[in-house]
Structure formats: C-alpha cells, structure tokens
Amino acid sequence: MTLADTPDVLAQLRSEWRRVGRSNEAREALERLRAQSPAEIPAFVVDLAGLVAALEPNGGLDRLHRARILAALLLGSRDPLVGRCLLQTLLPGIVSVARKLRFGEGIADSPRTFLADAVAEFAELLKDWAGEARPYAGPDLLGALRCRLRRKMLADKARRAELREVREQSTGDGGVGEDLAHRLAVAAAAGVTDVDLVYARCVLGHTASELAAAIGVSNGTLHRRLLVAAQPYVAVRS
C-alpha cells in the first residue's frame, strides 16, 4: 500500500478543526473552560481555535502557562469539544510519537495507517483520562500513548505471525491445507465472527485493502479483527 491509498488523517482533522474550532459551540465550550480554570485561559482568546493557536510555540505564552492550559484542557475534557481541542493541540506530539516508533515499520501497512491508529488510540486514552488533574498533562498523555502503541505493536507482530501460519496452512497442497480451508468455510457459513474475513484473506486471496474498503474500516482495524478471528485456527498441524 502506498501513501496515496490511505486517507490523510492529519488533513482531515485540520479541515474539521477549521470548521469546528470557531463555531458557536466552540465559543460556548471555551467559556465553560474559562469558568473551570479562569486563571489559565488568556483573555484575548475567544474560541477553541484561538486557544489552539495561543498554545503554539509562537503563540505568545510561556512554556509554564502552556502546560497549565493543557492541564486545564484535560481536566475539562469530559466536554467533547474540549477533548477535541486537546487532541488538536497535541497533534504534533502524536506525530512525533509515531515517528519515534518508525510509523510501525514492518507491522503497519503504511505510515498513514499507523498514524490514523495512533490518533484513534489517543482518542481512547483521552476517554480514559478525561477529568483527571495532571500538572504535566501533555507529556503524560504522549508518554502513555507511546506505551500503548508499543504494546499493540508487539501484540500485532505476534498475531500476524499466527495469521501467516493460517494462510500457509490453508493454501497447502491437500491434507492440512484443504482441511483448514474447509474448517474456515464451515465456520464462516455458521456466522462465526469475522471468520469470513479470514477465509477471504487467506483462502480467496483478497488483499487487506480490498477487504477494509468493502466493510468500511481502516486497515489497522481490519488487521486486528483478522488476527483475533484467526487465533483458533493456528497450529492445526498439532
């Protein structure tokens, strides 16, 4: 897969933010945030897009003030727009984390796929941490994101090895290959969750990109579903 085959999640998020960040709802969310943390939100900021701009290195605030605003954003992030503002603010950091992990080289289908998964993982992390009081919210969030992604990369690497084993066995000459293909077909017909995807990938030879597009999910999501569904069929030789 090439970069051109994968949606540019950063461009999508920036385009969305241009629309959302200066909306009436964003101005109302800022006022709620200001009521929560009146000492931290600069008086010259009138909406969430303006707050993101103020948090840029050249936005006119010192590092300590920026850190306090990030802490305020996390504290108020049960408000979906405040959480979205925090994600937008930390997008460069998310990209930096993905870069340090080499964009999932050898595991992800492409850098963009890995980055999309990193953004989705960050969104889940925000849900888990919403409302927490963390003075170093920015570094804490990005550090936790890196740990989560590393754990997922290790798990995906192991599961992909299992999926390759299923594929090799299902395409073998007679014997085990035919038996495994039959077992997959029977399970798929019975409606066992996602085994139809394993059959399409390993027996029929459809690419991951084709399957992901057909069911409307990202490649990363598809791979995780394949890996989970394939586990019962690993090592059938034993």
Side-chain angles (χ1 to χ4, degrees), residues 184-197:
L184 289 170
V186 170
V192 178
T193 303
D194 290 338
V195 174
D196 56 334
L197 298 176

Side-chain angles (χ1 to χ4, degrees), residues 193-217:
T193 303
D194 290 338
V195 174
D196 56 334
L197 298 176
V198 178
Y199 186 86
R201 181 75 181 95
C202 296
V203 180
L204 301 182
H206 291 289
T207 67
S209 298
E210 290 170 342
L211 293 175
I215 63 175
V217 299

Side-chain angles (χ1 to χ4, degrees), residues 55-204:
L55 286 165
E56 295 284 345
N58 60 354
L61 305 177
D62 62 50
R63 292 181 64 182
L64 290 177
H65 194 174
R66 295 201 301 269
R68 293 197 301 271
I69 292 175
L70 290 177
L73 284 169
L74 180 60
L75 187 63
S77 61
R78 287 196 178 97
D79 183 324
L81 276 175
V82 172
R84 179 66 180 82
C85 179
L86 183 53
L87 185 153
Q88 191 68 29
T89 297
L90 291 179
L91 270 183
I94 296 171
V95 174
S96 179
V97 168
R99 183 177 294 112
K100 289 176 181 177
L101 295 173
R102 302 178 68 179
F103 293 98
E105 184 178 2
I107 298 174
D109 289 320
S110 76
R112 282 185 182 172
T113 298
F114 186 77
L115 188 55
D117 287 344
V119 170
E121 189 64 36
F122 185 84
E124 288 301 313
L125 179 61
L126 273 185
K127 289 180 184 177
D128 294 342
W129 287 21
E132 291 193 10
R134 288 178 175 266
Y136 304 102
D140 286 353
L141 282 164
L142 295 175
L145 175 65
R146 184 175 184 179
C147 289
R148 286 191 177 199
L149 289 174
R150 283 180 63 85
R151 286 197 299 269
K152 285 200 167 188
M153 287 171 64
L154 291 172
D156 281 357
K157 186 175 181 179
R159 288 173 178 169
R160 281 171 185 256
E162 295 174 353
L163 186 57
R164 282 195 299 272
E165 184 177 345
V166 171
R167 188 182 306 141
E168 290 166 1
Q169 293 178 32
S170 66
T171 56
D173 294 330
V176 171
E178 292 181 1
D179 176 65
L180 181 54
H182 176 71
R183 290 177 63 200
L184 289 170
V186 170
V192 178
T193 303
D194 290 338
V195 174
D196 56 334
L197 298 176
V198 178
Y199 186 86
R201 181 75 181 95
C202 296
V203 180
L204 301 182

